[in-house]
Amino acid sequence: MAEGDNRSTNLLAAETANLEEQLQGWGEMLLMADKILRWERAWFPPAIMVTFLLLLPGLNQHGIISKYIGMAKREINKLLKQKEKKSE
């Protein structure tokens, strides 16, 4: 019975070590993202803007930007219509 417990403990330890190894990269990335979101360095905001500008062509290619611009236009038109109704 102890041998079976020992095997399951070893298996669990190996799986845990494997999982920790796989998640280590994500942890480092999350720490960097946390530092960026907190703007711990003076150069983070410009770096974020440059990165965003580099992503724009890809976002536009997939229609994501057009989709959100269309949504914004519809909302603005709704607000303008509501304002017109109130003024009448």
Side-chain angles (χ1 to χ4, degrees):
M1 191 72 141
E3 187 177 318
D5 289 342
N6 194 22
R7 282 186 187 163
S8 64
T9 302
N10 288 340
L11 182 61
L12 183 62
E15 289 175 353
T16 303
N18 187 22
L19 184 61
E20 284 179 8
E21 185 178 320
Q22 291 175 356
L23 294 177
Q24 185 174 4
W26 284 104
E28 291 173 5
M29 189 168 27
L30 287 174
L31 288 174
M32 180 54 96
D34 182 57
K35 288 180 181 180
I36 290 170
L37 292 174
R38 293 176 190 263
W39 289 8
E40 290 183 0
R41 303 255 195 292
W43 55 268
F44 280 155
I48 292 170
M49 183 58 92
V50 170
T51 304
F52 179 73
L53 291 176
L54 292 174
L55 291 175
L56 280 178
L59 294 174
N60 197 33
Q61 181 181 5
H62 295 291
I64 294 171
I65 294 174
S66 301
K67 176 183 173 182
Y68 285 106
I69 288 174
M71 288 171 54
K73 285 180 181 178
R74 284 191 298 274
E75 290 300 316
I76 290 170
N77 286 334
K78 284 180 191 177
L79 292 172
L80 289 174
K81 287 179 183 178
Q82 288 176 357
K83 185 178 179 180
E84 287 176 4
K85 288 180 182 178
K86 286 182 181 180
S87 66
E88 290 177 355

